[in-house]
Amino acid sequence: MDKKQLSFLTGGLLAMAIALGIGRFSYTPILPLMQQKFEFSETIAGYLASANYAGYLIGAILTGLFSMRARTVPVLRLSLIIGVVTTLLMSLTTSYIGWAILRFLSGICSALVFVLASSMVLEKLRGIDKTNWSGFFYMGPGYGIFLTGISIPLFYNSWGWKGAWIGLSGLSLFLLIFVFLTFKETPGFLHNKKGRTFQKSLVPPRKWLPLLILANGCEGLGYIVTGTFIVSIAQNTPSFHFESSIIWTVVGVTAIPSCLIWSSLARRWGFVKSLVLAMLLQAVGVSIPVFFSSPFSLFTSAAIFGATFMGITALGATLLGKMVPTNNSRIMGVFTVAYAIGQMIGPTLAGALSEATSNYRASLLGAAGIILIGAISLISGLKYERKKESKSKSPHLFKS
């Protein structure tokens, strides 16, 4: 991979860090700080989270309805700019409605960036037979989460909850400069060399897509409970004597390499098998705080969550890209819609249930159960990977 290709991928990584790692997920570590200041309930917290995910749903629907191929870069850049502005404006109001509107707009922008950037990067990587590098691209949200985890305490201790939002918007603006310089269409630099042929990998047929989309919806509904409330869970755990935002830093640290690791495992084991394993592992991680409440158990839960949630997204999106190799922004939009519907419903249900029961146990168990259902729905795809294994042992594959 040459410097231009690596620069392009780095720009995509930073775009994902801005739109998802910061713009979308910064609410999680700032939530308990805002609750301390304004004393709003878990139900309100769930509504505000769901407003963002409702926006994410609308953004995903827009990419599914309209072909943006000719306008990918301009729409992506505008989405990033609006996302940074909405992060800044969160500090300028104390209205629940105002926050909900801003989180809604941020959600639209983050979905547009995710779908458009994913389609753009995956198509180019397929052109040079380097889809394994998609794991590098999907490290972006992990970097963004890590940056929020380490910077929010600094911003908050200096300027309060408003300073946290302002500081993150400034950080996003700084990264945005590099995105504009590197993440752009450069015709010809990522195309196949003439005469070069690549081995095609065997993947499930298109008729299997509904099951992949269903599993992605289950993942959206299940993961988001931990993704929204894990810092609040740590803060409300009496034995947890650390700064609660450190939990989010752990999520970011383990999320950063996770996509590369899962992509590597997918090349060895197959994408479907890796997806099933990742979702089973995530279900275990999500349920750990239900049975254990020590600091170690919370750190373990955060580490497993970070190590799986973006890896699952990367595996699913890459597998979809292999199943639909060209002009896939619309089907990627449908794929993201399923995810968005799940994550829009999750925080509202979890917030109301947690307030009713005065703890997060039922919400976490429900989330783990939904993730398990998603994993089970993928099992039928394993037979296609077994076919691949048997074909790889067939002598005719080695004929010149």
Side-chain angles (χ1 to χ4, degrees):
M1 182 165 288
D2 62 31
K3 290 183 179 180
K4 285 186 178 180
Q5 295 165 357
L6 186 59
S7 175
F8 174 80
L9 279 181
T10 301
L13 179 154
L14 294 177
M16 296 282 272
I18 294 168
L20 282 85
I22 298 176
R24 180 173 163 207
F25 288 118
S26 57
Y27 175 75
T28 299
I30 298 179
L31 169 61
L33 308 178
M34 294 173 69
Q35 284 183 302
Q36 279 184 347
K37 176 69 175 180
F38 300 102
E39 298 181 346
F40 54 83
S41 66
E42 297 298 339
T43 300
I44 295 295
Y47 286 148
L48 290 176
S50 291
N52 181 258
Y53 305 135
Y56 195 85
L57 171 61
I58 297 301
I61 290 174
L62 290 175
T63 59
L65 290 177
F66 304 105
S67 176
M68 299 185 183
R69 186 174 180 83
R71 303 180 296 277
T72 295
V73 174
V75 172
L76 188 145
R77 288 181 171 181
L78 180 61
S79 299
L80 286 168
I81 292 170
I82 295 174
V84 173
V85 171
T86 59
T87 299
L88 173 63
L89 293 179
M90 284 292 291
S91 68
L92 302 181
T93 180
T94 57
S95 164
Y96 295 150
I97 294 177
W99 286 335
I101 292 172
L102 291 171
R103 296 306 294 158
F104 177 79
L105 294 174
S106 176
I108 293 176
C109 295
S110 59
L112 289 172
V113 171
F114 174 81
V115 174
L116 297 179
S118 294
S119 298
M120 194 172 164
V121 168
L122 292 175
E123 186 169 344
K124 288 185 180 295
L125 289 177
R126 280 192 300 274
I128 58 170
D129 196 36
K130 293 289 186 181
T131 53
N132 55 302
W133 277 89
S134 63
F136 178 81
F137 165 68
Y138 285 111
M139 288 165 62
Y143 276 109
I145 289 171
F146 173 74
L147 289 174
T148 60
I150 62 173
S151 63
I152 283 177
L154 300 176
F155 296 141
Y156 176 73
N157 292 333
S158 299
W159 303 294
W161 71 274
K162 289 187 176 184
W165 288 110
I166 295 171
L168 289 179
S169 64
L171 180 60
S172 298
L173 184 60
F174 176 74
L175 297 177
L176 190 60
I177 296 172
F178 291 93
V179 175
F180 274 50
L181 291 174
T182 58
F183 197 62
K184 51 190 176 182
E185 289 283 4
T186 309
F189 89 93
L190 274 177
H191 293 309
N192 292 348
K193 293 181 179 179
K194 188 175 180 180
R196 190 175 179 185
T197 58
F198 303 113
Q199 182 182 0
K200 292 184 179 179
S201 53
L202 188 65
V203 295
R206 288 199 180 196
K207 67 180 182 180
W208 191 78
L209 273 175
L211 290 176
L212 179 61
I213 292 171
L214 171 64
N216 202 45
C218 290
E219 168 66 9
L221 178 55
Y223 99 97
I224 200 59
V225 176
T226 295
T228 300
F229 295 110
I230 189 169
V231 177
S232 295
I233 291 171
Q235 183 160 326
N236 292 326
T237 300
S239 63
F240 194 83
H241 303 301
F242 301 89
E243 177 75 39
S244 59
S245 63
I246 196 174
I247 282 289
W248 200 236
T249 305
V250 172
V251 172
V253 167
T254 54
I256 290 171
S258 67
C259 295
L260 283 176
I261 293 171
W262 286 111
S263 294
S264 177
L265 291 176
R267 291 198 306 273
R268 178 175 298 181
W269 298 340
F271 280 88
V272 179
K273 187 181 296 182
S274 299
L275 267 171
V276 172
L277 177 61
M279 294 183 76
L280 291 175
L281 182 60
Q282 185 182 79
V284 172
V286 166
S287 61
I288 284 176
V290 176
F291 305 103
F292 308 98
S293 59
S294 68
F296 177 77
S297 66
L298 289 172
F299 282 126
T300 302
S301 177
I304 294 175
F305 176 73
T308 54
F309 86 101
M310 277 311 303
I312 291 169
T313 296
L315 290 172
T318 305
L319 176 58
L320 183 144
K322 286 178 173 288
M323 295 170 68
V324 187
T326 58
N327 299 328
N328 64 4
S329 62
R330 287 191 176 183
I331 191 63
M332 185 69 75
V334 174
F335 179 76
T336 309
V337 164
Y339 193 82
I341 290 174
Q343 69 177 7
M344 181 182 68
I345 297 171
T348 299
L349 291 178
L353 186 59
S354 299
E355 188 173 351
T357 59
S358 300
N359 60 64
Y360 292 95
R361 293 189 183 93
S363 299
L364 292 173
L365 282 177
I370 292 295
I371 295 168
L372 282 175
I373 291 173
I376 292 169
S377 71
L378 294 172
I379 290 176
S380 64
L382 294 174
K383 61 185 177 184
Y384 302 106
E385 293 177 341
R386 284 196 289 270
K387 289 180 182 178
K388 179 181 177 182
E389 290 174 2
S390 64
K391 283 193 174 187
S392 67
K393 299 175 183 178
S394 176
H396 77 271
L397 282 181
F398 300 98
K399 291 181 180 180
S400 57

Coordinates of all heavy atoms in Angstrom, one line a residue, residues 71-125:
R71 N -22.2 12.8 -5.6 CA -22.0 13.9 -4.6 C -21.5 13.4 -3.3 O -21.7 14.0 -2.3 CB -23.4 14.5 -4.4 CG -24.1 15.1 -5.6 CD -25.4 15.7 -5.4 NE -26.4 14.7 -4.9 CZ -27.1 13.9 -5.7 NH1 -26.9 13.9 -7.0 NH2 -27.9 13.0 -5.2
T72 N -20.8 12.3 -3.3 CA -20.4 11.6 -2.1 C -19.5 12.5 -1.2 O -19.8 12.8 -0.1 CB -19.6 10.3 -2.4 OG1 -20.5 9.4 -3.0 CG2 -19.0 9.7 -1.1
V73 N -18.4 13.1 -1.8 CA -17.5 13.9 -1.1 C -18.1 15.2 -0.6 O -17.9 15.5 0.6 CB -16.2 14.2 -1.9 CG1 -15.3 15.1 -1.2 CG2 -15.5 12.8 -2.2
P74 N -18.8 16.0 -1.4 CA -19.5 17.2 -0.9 C -20.4 16.9 0.3 O -20.4 17.7 1.3 CB -20.2 17.8 -2.1 CG -19.4 17.2 -3.3 CD -19.0 15.9 -2.9
V75 N -21.3 15.9 0.1 CA -22.3 15.6 1.2 C -21.5 15.1 2.4 O -21.9 15.5 3.6 CB -23.2 14.5 0.7 CG1 -24.1 14.0 1.8 CG2 -24.1 15.0 -0.4
L76 N -20.5 14.3 2.3 CA -19.7 13.9 3.4 C -19.1 15.0 4.2 O -19.1 15.1 5.4 CB -18.7 12.8 3.0 CG -17.9 12.1 4.0 CD1 -17.6 10.7 3.6 CD2 -16.6 12.8 4.3
R77 N -18.5 15.9 3.4 CA -17.8 17.1 4.1 C -18.8 18.0 4.8 O -18.6 18.4 5.9 CB -17.1 17.9 3.0 CG -15.8 17.2 2.5 CD -15.1 18.0 1.5 NE -13.7 17.5 1.2 CZ -12.9 18.0 0.4 NH1 -13.2 19.2 -0.3 NH2 -11.7 17.5 0.1
L78 N -20.0 18.2 4.1 CA -21.0 19.1 4.8 C -21.5 18.4 6.0 O -21.7 19.1 7.0 CB -22.2 19.3 3.8 CG -23.3 20.1 4.3 CD1 -22.9 21.5 4.7 CD2 -24.5 20.2 3.3
S79 N -21.7 17.1 6.0 CA -22.1 16.3 7.2 C -21.1 16.5 8.3 O -21.5 16.6 9.5 CB -22.3 14.9 6.8 OG -23.3 14.7 5.8
L80 N -19.9 16.4 8.0 CA -18.8 16.6 9.0 C -18.9 18.0 9.7 O -18.8 18.1 10.9 CB -17.5 16.3 8.5 CG -17.1 14.8 8.2 CD1 -15.9 14.7 7.3 CD2 -17.0 14.0 9.5
I81 N -19.0 19.0 8.8 CA -19.1 20.3 9.3 C -20.3 20.5 10.3 O -20.2 21.1 11.4 CB -19.1 21.3 8.2 CG1 -17.8 21.3 7.4 CG2 -19.4 22.8 8.7 CD1 -17.8 22.1 6.1
I82 N -21.4 20.1 9.8 CA -22.7 20.2 10.6 C -22.5 19.5 11.9 O -22.9 19.9 13.0 CB -23.9 19.8 9.8 CG1 -24.1 20.7 8.6 CG2 -25.1 19.8 10.8 CD1 -25.3 20.2 7.7
G83 N -21.9 18.3 11.8 CA -21.7 17.5 13.1 C -20.8 18.2 14.1 O -21.1 18.2 15.3
V84 N -19.8 18.9 13.6 CA -18.9 19.6 14.5 C -19.7 20.8 15.1 O -19.6 21.1 16.3 CB -17.7 20.2 13.8 CG1 -16.9 21.1 14.7 CG2 -16.8 19.0 13.3
V85 N -20.5 21.5 14.3 CA -21.3 22.6 14.8 C -22.3 22.2 15.9 O -22.5 22.8 16.9 CB -22.0 23.3 13.7 CG1 -23.0 24.4 14.2 CG2 -21.0 24.0 12.7
T86 N -23.0 21.0 15.7 CA -23.9 20.6 16.6 C -23.3 20.2 18.0 O -23.9 20.4 19.0 CB -24.7 19.4 16.1 OG1 -23.8 18.3 15.8 CG2 -25.5 19.7 14.9
T87 N -22.0 19.7 17.9 CA -21.3 19.4 19.1 C -21.0 20.7 19.9 O -21.2 20.8 21.1 CB -20.0 18.7 18.8 OG1 -20.3 17.5 18.1 CG2 -19.2 18.4 20.1
L88 N -20.6 21.7 19.2 CA -20.4 23.0 19.8 C -21.7 23.6 20.4 O -21.7 24.1 21.6 CB -19.8 24.0 18.8 CG -19.7 25.5 19.3 CD1 -18.7 25.6 20.4 CD2 -19.2 26.3 18.1
L89 N -22.8 23.5 19.7 CA -24.0 24.1 20.2 C -24.6 23.4 21.4 O -25.5 24.0 22.0 CB -25.1 24.2 19.0 CG -24.7 25.1 17.8 CD1 -25.8 25.0 16.7 CD2 -24.6 26.5 18.3
M90 N -24.2 22.2 21.6 CA -24.7 21.5 22.8 C -24.4 22.3 24.1 O -25.1 22.2 25.1 CB -24.1 20.1 22.9 CG -24.7 19.1 22.0 SD -26.5 18.7 22.4 CE -26.3 17.8 24.0
S91 N -23.3 23.1 24.0 CA -22.9 23.9 25.2 C -23.7 25.2 25.4 O -23.6 25.9 26.4 CB -21.4 24.2 25.1 OG -21.2 25.1 24.0
L92 N -24.5 25.6 24.4 CA -25.1 26.9 24.4 C -26.6 26.9 24.7 O -27.2 27.9 24.6 CB -24.9 27.5 23.0 CG -23.4 27.7 22.5 CD1 -23.4 28.4 21.2 CD2 -22.6 28.5 23.5
T93 N -27.1 25.7 25.1 CA -28.5 25.7 25.6 C -28.6 24.7 26.8 O -27.7 23.9 27.0 CB -29.4 25.2 24.4 OG1 -30.7 25.1 24.9 CG2 -28.9 23.8 24.0
T94 N -29.6 25.0 27.6 CA -29.9 24.1 28.7 C -31.3 23.5 28.5 O -31.9 23.0 29.5 CB -29.8 24.8 30.0 OG1 -30.7 26.0 30.0 CG2 -28.4 25.3 30.3
S95 N -31.9 23.6 27.3 CA -33.2 23.1 27.0 C -33.1 21.6 26.6 O -32.3 21.2 25.7 CB -33.8 23.9 25.9 OG -35.0 23.2 25.4
Y96 N -34.0 20.7 27.2 CA -34.0 19.4 26.8 C -34.4 19.3 25.3 O -33.8 18.4 24.5 CB -35.0 18.6 27.6 CG -34.7 18.4 29.1 CD1 -35.7 18.3 30.0 CD2 -33.4 18.4 29.5 CE1 -35.4 18.2 31.4 CE2 -33.1 18.3 30.8 CZ -34.1 18.2 31.8 OH -33.8 18.1 33.1
I97 N -35.3 20.1 24.9 CA -35.8 20.1 23.5 C -34.6 20.5 22.6 O -34.4 19.9 21.5 CB -37.0 21.0 23.3 CG1 -38.2 20.4 24.0 CG2 -37.3 21.1 21.8 CD1 -39.4 21.3 24.0
G98 N -33.9 21.5 23.0 CA -32.8 22.0 22.2 C -31.7 20.9 22.1 O -31.1 20.7 21.0
W99 N -31.4 20.2 23.2 CA -30.4 19.1 23.2 C -30.9 18.0 22.2 O -30.1 17.5 21.5 CB -30.2 18.6 24.6 CG -29.4 19.5 25.5 CD1 -28.4 20.4 25.1 CD2 -29.4 19.5 26.9 NE1 -27.9 21.0 26.2 CE2 -28.5 20.5 27.3 CE3 -30.1 18.8 27.8 CZ2 -28.2 20.8 28.6 CZ3 -29.9 19.1 29.2 CH2 -28.9 20.1 29.6
A100 N -32.2 17.7 22.3 CA -32.7 16.6 21.5 C -32.6 16.9 20.0 O -32.2 16.1 19.2 CB -34.2 16.3 21.9
I101 N -32.9 18.2 19.7 CA -32.8 18.6 18.2 C -31.3 18.5 17.8 O -31.0 18.0 16.7 CB -33.3 20.0 18.1 CG1 -34.8 20.0 18.3 CG2 -33.0 20.6 16.7 CD1 -35.4 21.4 18.3
L102 N -30.4 19.0 18.6 CA -29.0 18.9 18.2 C -28.5 17.5 18.1 O -27.7 17.2 17.2 CB -28.2 19.7 19.2 CG -28.4 21.2 19.2 CD1 -27.7 21.9 20.4 CD2 -27.9 21.8 17.9
R103 N -28.9 16.7 19.0 CA -28.5 15.3 18.9 C -29.1 14.6 17.7 O -28.5 13.7 17.1 CB -28.9 14.5 20.2 CG -28.2 15.0 21.5 CD -26.6 15.0 21.3 NE -26.1 13.7 21.2 CZ -24.9 13.4 20.7 NH1 -24.2 14.4 20.1 NH2 -24.5 12.2 20.6
F104 N -30.3 15.0 17.4 CA -31.0 14.4 16.2 C -30.2 14.8 14.9 O -29.9 13.9 14.1 CB -32.4 15.0 16.1 CG -33.2 14.5 14.9 CD1 -33.7 13.3 14.8 CD2 -33.3 15.4 13.8 CE1 -34.4 12.9 13.7 CE2 -34.0 15.0 12.7 CZ -34.6 13.8 12.6
L105 N -29.8 16.1 14.8 CA -29.1 16.5 13.6 C -27.7 15.8 13.6 O -27.2 15.5 12.5 CB -28.9 18.0 13.7 CG -30.2 18.9 13.5 CD1 -29.9 20.3 13.7 CD2 -30.8 18.6 12.1
S106 N -27.1 15.7 14.7 CA -25.8 15.0 14.8 C -25.9 13.6 14.3 O -25.0 13.0 13.7 CB -25.2 15.1 16.2 OG -24.0 14.3 16.4
G107 N -27.0 12.9 14.7 CA -27.2 11.6 14.3 C -27.4 11.4 12.8 O -26.8 10.5 12.1
I108 N -28.1 12.4 12.1 CA -28.2 12.4 10.7 C -26.8 12.4 10.0 O -26.5 11.7 9.1 CB -29.1 13.5 10.2 CG1 -30.5 13.4 10.6 CG2 -29.0 13.6 8.7 CD1 -31.4 14.5 10.3
C109 N -26.0 13.4 10.5 CA -24.7 13.6 10.0 C -23.8 12.4 10.1 O -23.1 12.0 9.2 CB -24.0 14.8 10.6 SG -24.9 16.4 10.2
S110 N -23.8 11.7 11.3 CA -23.0 10.6 11.6 C -23.4 9.4 10.7 O -22.5 8.7 10.2 CB -23.0 10.2 13.0 OG -24.3 9.9 13.5
A111 N -24.6 9.2 10.4 CA -25.1 8.1 9.5 C -24.6 8.4 8.1 O -24.1 7.5 7.4 CB -26.6 8.0 9.6
L112 N -24.8 9.6 7.6 CA -24.3 9.9 6.3 C -22.8 9.7 6.1 O -22.4 9.1 5.1 CB -24.6 11.4 6.0 CG -26.1 11.7 5.8 CD1 -26.3 13.2 5.6 CD2 -26.7 11.1 4.5
V113 N -22.0 10.1 7.1 CA -20.6 9.9 7.1 C -20.3 8.4 7.1 O -19.4 7.9 6.3 CB -19.9 10.6 8.2 CG1 -18.4 10.2 8.3 CG2 -20.0 12.1 8.1
F114 N -20.9 7.7 8.0 CA -20.6 6.2 8.0 C -20.9 5.5 6.7 O -20.1 4.8 6.2 CB -21.4 5.6 9.2 CG -21.3 4.1 9.2 CD1 -20.2 3.5 9.8 CD2 -22.2 3.2 8.6 CE1 -20.0 2.1 9.9 CE2 -22.1 1.9 8.6 CZ -21.0 1.3 9.3
V115 N -22.1 5.7 6.2 CA -22.5 5.0 5.0 C -21.6 5.5 3.8 O -21.1 4.6 3.0 CB -24.0 5.2 4.7 CG1 -24.3 4.6 3.3 CG2 -24.8 4.6 5.8
L116 N -21.5 6.8 3.6 CA -20.8 7.3 2.4 C -19.3 6.9 2.5 O -18.7 6.5 1.5 CB -21.0 8.8 2.3 CG -22.4 9.2 2.0 CD1 -22.5 10.7 1.9 CD2 -23.0 8.6 0.7
A117 N -18.7 7.1 3.7 CA -17.3 6.8 3.8 C -17.0 5.3 3.7 O -16.0 4.9 3.0 CB -16.8 7.3 5.1
S118 N -17.9 4.5 4.2 CA -17.7 3.1 4.1 C -17.8 2.6 2.7 O -17.0 1.8 2.2 CB -18.8 2.3 5.0 OG -18.6 2.6 6.3
S119 N -18.8 3.1 2.0 CA -19.0 2.7 0.6 C -17.8 3.1 -0.3 O -17.3 2.4 -1.1 CB -20.3 3.3 0.0 OG -21.4 2.9 0.7
M120 N -17.3 4.3 0.0 CA -16.2 4.9 -0.7 C -14.9 4.1 -0.5 O -14.2 3.7 -1.4 CB -16.0 6.3 -0.3 CG -15.1 7.2 -1.1 SD -15.3 8.9 -0.5 CE -13.8 9.7 -1.3
V121 N -14.6 3.8 0.8 CA -13.4 3.1 1.1 C -13.4 1.6 0.7 O -12.5 1.1 0.1 CB -13.1 3.2 2.7 CG1 -12.0 2.3 3.1 CG2 -12.8 4.6 3.0
L122 N -14.5 1.0 1.0 CA -14.6 -0.5 0.7 C -14.5 -0.7 -0.8 O -13.9 -1.7 -1.3 CB -15.9 -1.1 1.2 CG -16.0 -1.1 2.8 CD1 -17.3 -1.6 3.2 CD2 -14.9 -2.0 3.3
E123 N -15.2 0.1 -1.6 CA -15.1 0.0 -3.1 C -13.7 0.1 -3.6 O -13.2 -0.6 -4.4 CB -16.0 1.0 -3.8 CG -16.1 0.7 -5.3 CD -17.2 1.5 -5.9 OE1 -18.1 2.0 -5.2 OE2 -17.2 1.6 -7.2
K124 N -13.0 1.1 -3.0 CA -11.6 1.4 -3.5 C -10.7 0.2 -3.0 O -9.8 -0.2 -3.7 CB -11.1 2.7 -2.9 CG -11.7 3.9 -3.6 CD -11.1 5.2 -3.2 CE -11.7 6.4 -3.9 NZ -11.5 6.4 -5.3
L125 N -10.9 -0.3 -1.8 CA -10.1 -1.4 -1.3 C -10.3 -2.7 -2.1 O -9.3 -3.4 -2.4 CB -10.3 -1.6 0.2 CG -9.8 -0.6 1.1 CD1 -10.2 -0.9 2.6 CD2 -8.3 -0.4 1.1

